[in-house]
């Protein structure tokens, strides 16, 4: 009844342009009646999102299709009673549809998608996830139309086969962004054919996750067939090795950003090989357990002067020797994220810091338990003139000496996190006396050595702060927090 009232109340102004309904119970909540009222009262509706609405079925969606001919974006998630009938009605009556997302709708299948492919020539974005009735015929019909302008395609958890990937590779001439995830029925041949079809010439960003068909052979074919590919993300692709990665990097001539997550056959030599053979600007490794810290005897090949951003997170085998090699290979780094590398030491990180010629701007060392003040001292001396962000969260051997080094050497630092470090009031005092610092975000969460004595220093720092984290600082009283909140009213204080 409330939804119907909203529809009536806005009808005099042309009705709603955008409506999002998320979550309702099976006994109460939005029904076909309410959605029908919206359809009649809001003919100018352009965006509709229905999430977890078990009492809405084809009747309500057909009313939307009948009355809302300007509809451009439709998002359906966990709608158990919506079927092909409702989707066919949308296709027949909403020719301006540009974006369609369908997730966990068990009754929607090929017939509805075929209608969309045939009757919605402006469709630019399609996302389908966990819909058991969707197969090759539905997916291929979306792309095989001669007038297809689809640029963004996401297919996740579907029972499609090699046939669909062949169609994407041949007809996806407008596709710029592609994501394929959990496609267990697609083999190596499917990915190989998709790459060799040479149709994905406009593809810029490609993400593949949990697809067994991605191998060294098929990955190289993708690199050769996607001439303008700039961003590649591989997640849980267990058959891709270091050699395959190097071959892909060599064949994908336009590649700028490479992200690998849980690709456990990738080795240290594979990572070094990639950096030595392509013009990457950004490399990200997450939970790649196959990397072992080995000192290579052979001299390194040509350096990777193009790499600006390096992120290696939670890869326990990436240690001192690996860091030293990356430091020598990549002298132009500006962003470094080594969070969760609990095995690295000062000796391993210092060569990387010394080899970064361009000047580091953002450095994240959170969770690097063995690092000491010596690293921060060198970092601030070498890169204090460029450093803008420094995260030392959980580096428990970092003390007030590091804050003194920051205060003395950093000019443009705006974001500093020393949560769960061995910081005391002395360190905060040193920061507050640095006249050149203009910190905007500062975190001392979990620093038990910070007490009420820091209130004066925090007030001084607070003149430029927009965010201050004092959570779990047990030595700061509630009264002090209240005084800080009152004094630093422009700053968002977490406590």
């Amino acid at each position: 009844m409330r939804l119907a009232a909203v529809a009536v109340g806005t009808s005099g102004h042309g009705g709603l342009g955008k409506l999002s309904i998320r979550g309702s119970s099976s006994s109460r909540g939005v029904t076909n009646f309410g959605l029908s009222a919206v359809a009649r009262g809001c003919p100018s509706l352009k965006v509709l999102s229905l999430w977890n609405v078990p009492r809405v079925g084809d009747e309500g969606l057909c009313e939307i299709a009948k009355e809302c001919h300007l509809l451009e974006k439709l998002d359906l998630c966990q709608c158990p009673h919506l079927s092909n009938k409702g989707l066919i009605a949308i296709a027949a009556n909403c020719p301006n549809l540009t974006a369609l997302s369908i997730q966990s709708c068990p009754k929607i299948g090929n017939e509805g998608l075929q209608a969309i492919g045939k009757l919605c020539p402006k469709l630019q974005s399609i996302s389908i996830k966990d819909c058991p009735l969707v197969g090759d015929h539905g997916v291929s019909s979306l792309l095989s139309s001669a007038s297809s302008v689809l640029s963004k395609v996401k297919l996740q958890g579907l029972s499609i086969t090699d046939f669909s990937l062949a169609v994407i590779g041949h007809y996806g001439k407008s596709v710029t962004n592609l994501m394929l995830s959990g496609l267990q029925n697609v083999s190596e041949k499917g990915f190989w054919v998709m790459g060799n079809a040479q149709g994905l010439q406009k593809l810029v960003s490609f993400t593949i996750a949990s697809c067994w068909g991605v191998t060294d052979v098929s990955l190289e074919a993708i690199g050769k067939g996607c001439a303008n590919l700039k961003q590649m993300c591989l997640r849980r692709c267990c058959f891709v090795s270091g050699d395959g990665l190097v071959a892909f990097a060599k064949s994908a001539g336009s590649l700028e950003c490479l992200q690998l997550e849980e690709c456990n056959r990738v080795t240290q030599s594979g990572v070094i090989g990639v950096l030595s053979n392509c013009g990457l600007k950004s490399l990200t490794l997450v939970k790649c357990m196959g990397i072992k810290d080995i000192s290579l005897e052979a001299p390194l090949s040509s350096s990777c002067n193009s790499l600006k951003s390096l992120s290696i997170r939670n890869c326990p085998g990436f240690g001192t020797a690996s860091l030293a090699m990356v430091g020598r290979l990549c002298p132009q780094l500006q962003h470094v994220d080594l969070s969760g590398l609990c095995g690295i030491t000062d000796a391993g990180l210092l060569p990387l810091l010394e080899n970064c010629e361009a000047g580091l701007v953002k450095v994240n060392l959170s969770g690097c338990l063995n690092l000491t003040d010596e690293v921060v001292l060198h970092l601030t001396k070498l890169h204090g003139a460029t450093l803008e962000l420094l995260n030392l969260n959980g580096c428990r051997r970092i003390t007030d000496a590091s804050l003194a080094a920051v205060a003395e050497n950093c000019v443009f630092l705006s974001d500093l996190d020393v949560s769960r470090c061995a910081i005391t009031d002395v360190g905060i005092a040193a920061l507050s006396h640095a006249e050149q610092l203009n910190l905007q975000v500062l975190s001392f969460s979990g620093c038990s050595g910070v007490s009420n004595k820091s209130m004066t220093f925090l007030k001084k720092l607070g003149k430029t702060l927009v965010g201050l984290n004092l959570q779990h600082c047990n030595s700061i009283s509630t009264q002090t927090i209240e005084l800080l909140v009152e004094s630093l009213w422009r700053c968002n204080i977490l406590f």
Side-chain angles (χ1 to χ4, degrees):
M1 188 62 81
R2 290 179 181 176
L3 191 58
V6 169
V8 172
T10 59
S11 61
H13 306 284
L16 295 169
K18 180 179 180 180
L19 176 62
S20 179
I21 304 170
R22 303 205 168 190
S24 61
S25 66
S26 56
S27 58
R28 298 179 61 189
V30 177
T31 65
N32 288 325
F33 175 80
L35 207 57
S36 298
V38 167
R40 291 189 293 271
C42 307
S44 59
L45 188 68
K46 291 186 177 182
V47 180
L48 176 62
S49 179
L50 302 175
W51 280 39
N52 189 21
V53 283
R55 300 185 70 191
V56 170
D58 291 328
E59 181 184 341
L61 195 58
C62 286
E63 282 298 312
I64 291 288
K66 180 181 177 182
E67 303 292 342
C68 305
H69 302 300
L70 299 178
L71 191 69
E72 295 177 0
K73 297 181 180 180
L74 179 61
D75 182 6
L76 306 173
C77 179
Q78 293 180 311
C79 301
H81 297 299
L82 289 179
S83 72
N84 289 322
K85 180 181 178 181
L87 204 57
I88 291 171
I90 290 290
N93 293 280
C94 303
N96 293 321
L97 195 69
T98 60
L100 174 62
S101 177
I102 308 170
Q103 178 177 341
S104 301
C105 295
K107 292 186 177 181
I108 292 179
N110 293 332
E111 189 179 348
L113 293 179
Q114 287 172 329
I116 292 290
K118 182 180 180 181
L119 300 172
C120 298
K122 297 181 181 180
L123 191 68
Q124 297 174 16
S125 174
I126 183 72
S127 176
I128 310 171
K129 181 178 181 180
D130 296 334
C131 295
L133 295 183
V134 172
D136 289 328
H137 292 296
V139 171
S140 60
S141 65
L142 292 169
L143 287 122
S144 57
S145 171
S147 60
S148 176
V149 291
L150 267 178
S151 59
K152 295 182 180 180
V153 178
K154 288 185 179 181
L155 305 174
Q156 303 175 74
L158 305 180
S159 57
I160 60 175
T161 69
D162 296 346
F163 178 80
S164 288
L165 265 66
V167 171
I168 293 172
H170 187 77
Y171 291 102
K173 300 185 186 301
S174 299
V175 176
T176 59
N177 295 71
L178 179 60
M179 178 181 181
L180 304 174
S181 175
L183 306 181
Q184 303 302 327
N185 295 328
V186 177
S187 70
E188 178 185 68
K189 180 181 178 181
F191 283 98
W192 184 87
V193 171
M194 181 178 67
N196 279 294
Q198 300 291 320
L200 294 172
Q201 296 300 307
K202 292 185 179 180
L203 187 64
V204 174
S205 176
F206 195 2
T207 297
I208 307 175
S210 303
C211 292
W212 296 343
V214 180
T215 65
D216 292 348
V217 172
S218 58
L219 189 61
E220 185 177 7
I222 290 170
K224 290 178 178 178
C226 304
N228 293 295
L229 185 63
K230 296 185 183 301
Q231 301 172 11
M232 186 68 177
C233 176
L234 298 172
R235 298 192 183 108
R236 296 180 296 279
C237 293
C238 55
F239 296 118
V240 174
S241 73
D243 291 340
L245 208 58
V246 172
F248 167 73
K250 288 180 178 179
S251 61
S254 299
L255 192 66
E256 294 180 354
C257 302
L258 178 61
Q259 181 172 340
L260 306 174
E261 298 184 20
E262 298 181 56
C263 296
N264 294 328
R265 290 189 65 192
V266 173
T267 62
Q268 182 203 68
S269 61
V271 173
I272 299 300
V274 167
L275 291 175
S276 301
N277 286 284
C278 70
L280 279 182
K281 294 181 178 179
S282 173
L283 175 64
T284 299
L285 306 175
V286 181
K287 295 181 180 178
C288 294
M289 302 303 178
I291 297 175
K292 306 299 180 185
D293 204 40
I294 303 171
S295 295
L296 297 179
E297 298 297 332
L300 296 175
S301 55
S302 59
S303 61
C304 183
N305 290 309
S306 60
L307 197 74
K308 306 296 183 185
S309 175
L310 175 68
S311 178
I312 304 169
R313 306 195 301 270
N314 299 306
C315 299
F318 205 99
T320 300
S322 303
L323 274 178
M325 282 187 282
V326 169
R328 293 199 301 273
L329 268 174
C330 309
Q332 300 301 317
L333 284 174
Q334 295 180 338
H335 301 166
V336 173
D337 182 350
L338 304 177
S339 53
L341 299 191
C342 53
I344 64 171
T345 62
D346 295 352
L349 188 55
L350 289 177
L352 184 144
L353 299 180
E354 291 168 355
N355 284 317
C356 291
E357 300 170 358
L360 290 171
V361 177
K362 296 181 179 180
V363 177
N364 185 349
L365 302 173
S366 62
C368 297
L369 306 178
N370 294 313
L371 297 181
T372 72
D373 294 323
E374 184 180 0
V375 158
V376 180
L377 181 62
H378 280 76
L379 173 63
T380 56
K381 280 187 175 180
L382 292 168
H383 305 284
T386 56
L387 195 63
E388 296 177 6
L389 179 148
L390 177 59
N391 189 337
L392 300 167
N393 185 348
C395 298
R396 56 195 179 194
R397 300 177 67 182
I398 296 297
T399 71
D400 295 331
S402 288
L403 292 190
V406 167
E408 182 179 352
N409 299 304
C410 292
V411 179
F412 298 109
L413 191 68
S414 62
D415 191 328
L416 176 63
D417 189 342
V418 287
S419 300
R420 299 183 296 138
C421 294
I423 300 301
T424 71
D425 300 322
V426 175
I428 298 180
L431 274 184
S432 69
H433 292 138
E435 298 296 336
Q436 84 283 2
L437 272 183
N438 288 291
L439 285 169
Q440 293 185 318
V441 180
L442 185 57
S443 179
F444 297 113
S445 176
C447 294
S448 57
V450 178
S451 71
N452 295 332
K453 295 178 182 179
S454 288
M455 185 174 71
T456 303
F457 310 132
L458 289 173
K459 281 185 176 180
K460 187 175 181 181
L461 288 166
K463 293 177 181 178
T464 59
L465 288 178
V466 295
L468 175 63
N469 188 348
L470 298 174
Q471 290 180 310
H472 311 298
C473 292
N474 300 325
S475 300
I476 300 181
S477 67
T478 303
Q479 183 181 9
T480 298
I481 293 291
E482 290 174 351
L483 289 172
L484 282 172
V485 170
E486 182 179 349
S487 176
L488 307 179
W489 55 273
R490 290 188 178 91
C491 180
N492 181 21
I493 302 177
L494 297 177
F495 55 89

